[in-house]
Amino acid sequence: MKVCHTQIMKLIKELEEQKRLLIEKEDENSVVSYKEGEERLPSEYDYAQMRAQLRALDDRVRALRGVLAKANCTVTVEPFGITVGEALVMLAQLQAEKVQVESLAGRRQVSRRITPNGVVEYTECIYDVAGAGEDAKALREKIGELQMAIDRANLTNYVEI
């Protein structure tokens, strides 16, 4: 069956949710309580069967992640000319840079304060704060463009699963 990358990601998310629910069910049903002198109620919980179900889900997720990882190494994100995998790394790098540049852009170019002993002290940024603000805006735009390009690649490229 051919599906786009986004469908694989949604399928992985669904399988992980199924696993979470199975584990929750196991936590609830793997023990029984009863009072002294009472008979223990039978339980439908089967340890071996639960392990097999969880392993089957893990196997399916691992296989899907493998297909997605291979596709991420070969599918190109246009107009950036890099693979999806590279684009995801670049996106994380740009977001980290944006955080730092926004922090720099949020400062005042020159500030002053009076020290506890009454001396006026100036603090001056040795870079252009307004320029950092422009750089932050450009980074936000580039991040948006890259995210859209990744989404487009994930929606328009199909792989066999």
Side-chain angles (χ1 to χ4, degrees):
M1 171 169 75
K2 280 197 169 229
V3 295
C4 69
H5 299 180
T6 301
Q7 288 172 295
I8 293 175
M9 288 183 271
K10 288 187 181 297
L11 182 54
I12 289 169
K13 195 171 191 177
E14 174 58 29
L15 292 169
E16 288 174 341
E17 177 63 11
Q18 287 176 24
K19 181 180 177 180
R20 187 192 67 77
L21 292 172
L22 271 178
I23 290 171
E24 190 176 285
K25 181 180 175 183
E26 179 177 45
D27 288 343
E28 292 173 9
N29 297 316
S30 61
V31 295
V32 294
S33 298
Y34 56 95
K35 295 180 183 174
E36 185 178 346
E38 289 183 347
E39 244 184 81
R40 182 178 67 130
L41 295 173
S43 173
E44 294 181 16
Y45 172 74
D46 182 327
Y47 175 83
Q49 181 184 17
M50 183 61 69
R51 299 276 64 76
Q53 287 177 311
L54 291 169
R55 284 186 193 112
L57 286 172
D58 283 344
D59 290 347
R60 184 73 175 132
V61 167
R62 193 170 47 254
L64 290 170
R65 285 191 184 279
V67 168
L68 194 56
K70 184 177 179 183
N72 284 349
C73 291
T74 58
V75 172
T76 303
V77 174
E78 295 304 336
F80 291 87
I82 58 177
T83 66
V84 173
E86 291 170 309
L88 292 171
V89 171
M90 182 181 188
L91 182 60
Q93 291 169 333
L94 289 172
Q95 288 171 333
E97 182 181 1
K98 178 186 72 95
V99 168
Q100 177 61 19
V101 171
E102 284 178 338
S103 172
L104 295 170
R107 297 178 181 172
R108 292 178 27 188
Q109 190 69 50
V110 178
S111 61
R112 72 175 222 162
R113 73 178 188 97
I114 299 175
T115 64
N117 60 358
V119 176
V120 176
E121 178 182 86
Y122 293 92
T123 302
E124 182 176 354
C125 293
I126 56 174
Y127 62 92
D128 179 16
V129 173
E134 293 168 13
D135 289 346
K137 180 181 180 203
L139 281 166
R140 286 190 297 273
E141 289 171 2
K142 187 170 184 176
I143 287 168
E145 291 168 8
L146 182 57
Q147 287 172 326
M148 286 187 285
I150 292 169
D151 289 346
R152 192 173 14 281
N154 283 334
L155 287 168
T156 58
N157 289 282
Y158 289 80
V159 292
E160 190 70 39
I161 61 169

